[in-house]
Amino acid sequence: TVYQVFWFPENAYQGGIAKILADYKNNEDSFNANDYRLKLFNHQIKDSVWDKIPIIGSKIKNIRYFFSQKKALLKELINDKDAIVHIQTSRKWTFFRDLLLAKAIKKQTGNPILFTIHFAELNKILYGNSLVRKAEIKMLNRYVDKVIFLGNATRDEFISAGVDEGICKVLYTFHHYELDEKPQKIYEPFKLIFMGSLDERKGIIDLMNAMLKLSDYNVQLNICGGEISENIKDKFLSLQSQLGEHVKFNGYVSGENKLRLLREANLFILPSYGE
């Protein structure tokens, strides 16, 4: 069994990780053909009054979640000694919490553990405190069998920081779409499309600034994404106003609407700082 371990809190934004896990699930036959059984392990906890305490409430919820998730996963692994635990992780507290989970699993069951880090740049993934960072690297080397990165640059940063090169692998993110017909390449206007989280690291502000230089051309930018990050919201709305009909904000898109927008686009563009 390959346990895909992740946490999508109910009603939370689901981005690239959700899409990758959906692709795994949609290709479950490939796992079965190689004698692997795929299991999605998205543990949930009930809300508590403690979670509503200002400032520290979210931290309390994360701590409660760690102990609840660990208990539930270990309960399953006790009866599944040959299972592989594939943890889908991110940055900072999420990354540190998942390292503690890996440590608990390795010590109590010895199951092989894979980490896929869905973020880029070592300094944005690990904590800045040198002692905490050393502990994180030590746990990676000791309790994780393979660390999967989305690109070579982040992989090389981790190796330079002391992570064993032998456990570091790169697996590029893929998105597979079946289009029943050839895309209709209509150039009036020429349509660009951006899909991703609306925050600074995805480069959306850079893209909108670039669009200002194309104001004399018949070009339209379709922006697809969920909630706009607070630290760029004012700038985003200002640029949206300046661009007028040259930009269209579609919000979060999925399913057939997402495929339709991709079919109609002439160019997909993702000026991310980490991908």
Side-chain angles (χ1 to χ4, degrees):
T1 306
V2 180
Y3 284 80
Q4 297 291 345
V5 180
F6 58 100
W7 181 26
F8 292 149
E10 293 180 358
N11 302 318
Y13 168 76
Q14 297 183 11
I17 299 178
K19 180 64 180 69
I20 289 171
L21 289 167
D23 282 334
Y24 281 162
K25 189 65 178 176
N26 291 336
N27 290 278
E28 194 168 2
D29 289 347
S30 297
F31 285 86
N32 295 336
N34 289 279
D35 296 325
Y36 289 101
R37 183 170 69 93
L38 183 67
K39 181 163 185 177
L40 301 185
F41 187 83
N42 181 18
H43 183 66
Q44 298 291 331
I45 58 173
K46 293 181 179 180
D47 291 334
S48 164
V49 293
W50 296 99
D51 304 336
K52 298 178 182 179
I53 299 176
I55 302 175
I56 64 171
S58 61
K59 294 180 176 62
I60 292 173
K61 184 172 184 178
N62 271 301
I63 293 170
R64 288 198 309 111
Y65 180 80
F66 165 71
F67 286 105
S68 178
Q69 180 197 39
K70 181 181 73 169
K71 181 179 178 180
L73 184 55
L74 286 172
K75 185 177 179 180
E76 294 213 20
L77 292 175
I78 287 174
N79 299 315
D80 204 347
K81 300 294 186 181
D82 296 326
I84 296 170
V85 180
H86 187 180
I87 299 175
Q88 308 286 340
T89 191
S90 181
R91 62 190 290 268
K92 300 301 182 181
W93 164 250
T94 300
F95 182 74
F96 188 74
R97 183 194 68 213
D98 288 336
L99 280 173
L100 294 177
L101 178 64
K103 179 180 178 180
I105 293 168
K106 186 63 74 174
K107 280 193 165 187
Q108 294 188 46
T109 69
N111 292 81
I113 298 171
L114 310 180
F115 255 42
T116 291
I117 303 176
H118 293 270
F119 217 85
E121 300 179 55
L122 178 140
N123 289 331
K124 294 180 179 179
I125 298 169
L126 303 184
Y127 280 111
N129 182 284
S130 60
L131 291 177
V132 176
R133 181 170 293 198
K134 286 179 181 178
E136 290 177 314
I137 292 170
K138 183 178 180 180
M139 283 191 284
L140 269 179
N141 286 330
R142 189 168 182 178
Y143 303 114
V144 179
D145 296 274
K146 293 292 179 185
V147 186
I148 300 171
F149 299 94
L150 304 185
N152 284 309
T154 308
R155 171 188 175 273
D156 293 344
E157 283 185 323
F158 271 75
I159 292 171
S160 296
V163 177
D164 181 4
E165 183 175 357
I167 69 172
C168 296
K169 302 293 180 184
V170 172
L171 180 63
Y172 292 113
T173 301
F174 68 93
H175 294 292
H176 180 68
Y177 291 101
E178 291 284 351
L179 297 178
D180 298 329
E181 58 200 43
K182 290 184 178 180
Q184 299 298 311
K185 296 301 178 183
I186 300 171
Y187 290 88
E188 294 294 335
F190 187 90
K191 292 185 178 180
L192 309 178
I193 189 165
F194 168 97
M195 286 186 176
S197 55
L198 300 177
D199 52 41
E200 187 176 18
R201 68 189 179 92
K202 292 292 185 180
I204 183 60
I205 297 300
D206 300 297
L207 177 54
M208 295 174 79
N209 276 320
M211 282 293 296
L212 290 175
K213 299 180 180 181
L214 299 176
S215 58
D216 293 335
Y217 296 87
N218 193 9
V219 178
Q220 184 184 71
L221 171 64
N222 269 303
I223 298 175
C224 304
E227 187 176 349
I228 305 166
S229 293
E230 285 298 324
N231 65 331
I232 67 164
K233 194 168 188 176
D234 290 344
K235 186 65 175 176
F236 181 95
L237 295 176
S238 174
L239 286 166
Q240 185 181 13
S241 176
Q242 293 176 64
L243 288 167
E245 63 182 12
H246 290 286
V247 66
K248 182 179 179 182
F249 180 41
N250 299 276
Y252 183 81
V253 298
S254 61
E256 183 54 38
N257 187 34
K258 182 177 184 178
L259 290 176
R260 177 185 61 79
L261 288 166
L262 286 168
R263 288 190 191 103
E264 294 174 354
N266 300 111
L267 183 67
F268 175 84
I269 184 165
L270 182 67
S272 170
Y273 279 73
E275 293 158 285

